[in-house]
Amino acid sequence: MRFRAGRGADGAPPAGQEAGAPRAAALEFVEDAAVAQADAGVPSFHVTVRMRRIATALGLPGTRVYTMPAGVLVHRADGTTAFFDADNTTAGTGSLRMDQLQELQSLLDAVAAGRTGPEEGLRRLKAMRDSPPRYGTAATLVGHALFGLGFGMLLKPTWWGLVLAAGLAVIVGGANSVVARNRAGAALFPVVAAFAVTAVADLAAPRIGMNPALAMIAPLASLLPAAAMTYAVIDLSVGQAISGTARLAVGVQRMVLLAFGAFAASRLVPDAPHHTGTTLDWAPWLGVAVFCAGSLLTESAPVRALPALMLVAYTTFTVQFFATDLGGPILGGFAAGVATIIAAGVFDRVPGALPSYAGFVPVLWIVVPGALGLQGAVELGESGDRLNAVTEIGIAGMVIVALAVGILFATLASDTVRSADLPADRRRDDL
């Protein structure tokens, strides 16, 4: 749906009709590319800055793009404004797969550099939208197993805990793919999934030497709003109050639904006898690689992108590990935010690498402690130290803020350095 509110003279035709076919194609590309980025869950700040540069490169210097909770607002140079519906704008991670996001970012870079015209850009946008997933059902289910296994290894589990994490992750990931086609089913799925996973964890985890509150996290990791919460803080930090608030509301709602389902199961399922198990303290360092492989399969990214993705993930994980050891989790979150942007920008030059924006998105699941907040929310309803549960939720929130500030700091610093290398007229265009 497209809604247009003209601000010029009454009855004035759309800008594209006045300017002829080339200008119309350029304007249509700006509009469609902005919607595609909104569908991908790109933070409003990034959409606004990037589309301003692309509009200038296409000869539309007065065009401005802003993402809203329900779509994209395009303000044209002639004073008219158009609104375009977007799919999943406020959901954080968006509705595009990683291979589609890779093609989108490559296309935007090509258009901004003048290597691709608007007509060819529109053709490539449509081809990107219509492209099927790279991997079949079996490979995708293997990806969900590796995703849960890798995330479980980050939590220092037992051997049987890894089996439990991988098995439940396959069930949750497969079921989510099915119910995602139905709006009502997708809305209720977090509650149902959290209830079922927590019930199984409460019954099985104590018998394999694991804390049920930790065993439930890995299978539910794919449902955690890691990107949504991070992008919400970024948008709010740069004054994008509407989109930032909407993203934050969506992220908080998802956490509430997950916590409600987990809390209900923890109250209804009886305690199981607890047995001891050997904790795999070495597992997190291997878990990063396993997690990256799972992300690649579930998000349909090409296999050749795995080395660069692992380099970004291991760089970020290492920086966060030592920064946390030095100054605590909040400093670790900030350092991880800076490191992930720098690493994604450096390693996107590796052959086959994802573009810098696509390269750091999966890493957010590793560094955003959404799991910590979910664990604290569940423990609020259990007997024991509720103050500790509240503390866990508070620390999780502060680490998310620190991570977002680190990402914002590194992004702005990178843009400043790039702008300093541009000629004076190009710098004025970017302002």
Side-chain angles (χ1 to χ4, degrees), residues 21-418:
R23 186 178 178 87
L27 185 57
E28 183 178 359
F29 177 80
V30 169
E31 295 165 348
D32 290 355
V35 171
Q37 288 185 88
D39 291 345
V42 180
S44 299
F45 166 72
H46 292 279
V47 177
T48 299
V49 173
R50 165 158 276 192
M51 294 315 300
R52 181 173 56 197
R53 293 172 178 169
I54 289 177
T56 301
L58 293 177
L60 305 170
T63 303
R64 294 291 183 266
V65 174
Y66 307 94
T67 56
M68 310 292 287
V72 174
L73 193 67
V74 179
H75 180 67
R76 304 183 180 118
D78 66 351
T80 60
T81 300
F83 181 82
F84 301 86
D85 283 337
D87 178 26
N88 207 20
T89 304
T90 61
T93 54
S95 58
L96 298 185
R97 304 184 308 269
M98 195 181 295
D99 61 326
Q100 293 174 313
L101 183 57
Q102 180 182 30
E103 172 60 23
L104 175 62
Q105 298 304 308
S106 298
L107 172 59
L108 295 178
D109 289 341
V111 173
R115 296 191 301 269
T116 300
E119 294 85 358
E120 175 66 12
L122 288 170
R123 187 195 66 78
R124 287 177 59 179
L125 274 178
K126 185 179 186 304
M128 180 270 293
R129 293 279 196 182
D130 297 338
S131 63
R134 184 179 298 269
Y135 306 112
T137 302
T140 303
L141 290 177
V142 171
H144 285 297
L146 293 175
F147 188 100
L149 181 64
F151 203 96
M153 296 175 81
L154 295 174
L155 302 175
K156 299 180 181 179
T158 62
W159 284 109
W160 281 108
L162 294 180
V163 176
L164 181 65
L168 290 178
V170 170
I171 296 173
V172 171
N176 189 36
S177 300
V178 174
V179 302
R181 305 165 190 168
N182 181 274
R183 185 177 295 273
L188 293 175
F189 184 71
V191 177
V192 177
F195 182 92
V197 168
T198 304
V200 173
D202 283 347
L203 291 173
R207 293 180 168 87
I208 58 177
M210 281 197 69
N211 181 348
L214 289 178
M216 59 174 277
I217 290 173
L220 297 176
S222 61
L223 301 180
L224 293 171
M229 301 292 284
T230 305
Y231 297 162
V233 177
I234 292 175
D235 283 345
L236 290 172
S237 299
V238 296
Q240 300 281 355
I242 297 177
S243 58
T245 302
R247 290 180 193 271
L248 185 62
V250 170
V252 170
Q253 181 201 35
R254 173 62 65 87
M255 291 297 295
V256 169
L257 293 176
L258 290 170
F260 175 78
F263 171 74
S266 67
R267 301 297 291 175
L268 295 175
V269 176
D271 295 334
H274 186 80
H275 300 276
T276 58
T278 302
T279 300
L280 307 178
D281 294 331
W282 50 265
W285 294 97
L286 178 59
V288 174
V290 176
F291 177 84
C292 288
S295 298
L296 183 143
L297 291 175
T298 57
E299 291 295 324
S300 193
V303 175
R304 65 180 182 275
L306 183 59
L309 181 61
M310 290 176 58
L311 286 171
V312 175
Y314 270 108
T315 299
T316 305
F317 184 78
T318 302
V319 169
Q320 184 185 33
F321 177 85
F322 287 107
T324 300
D325 186 62
L326 178 65
I330 296 176
L331 177 61
F334 175 80
V338 174
T340 190
I341 294 297
I342 295 176
V346 170
F347 295 123
D348 71 350
R349 295 173 175 81
V350 176
L354 297 168
S356 58
Y357 179 79
F360 84 84
V361 171
V363 181
L364 292 177
W365 267 290
I366 297 177
V367 298
V368 173
L372 182 63
L374 178 61
Q375 178 186 350
V378 173
E379 292 177 350
L380 279 175
E382 300 177 351
S383 58
D385 187 2
R386 288 184 172 84
L387 179 60
N388 183 63
V390 173
T391 302
E392 288 179 350
I393 296 175
I395 292 176
M398 288 302 298
V399 174
I400 290 174
V401 172
L403 173 65
V405 172
I407 291 174
L408 182 62
F409 175 82
T411 301
L412 294 177
S414 303
D415 290 343
T416 301
V417 172
R418 283 196 298 266

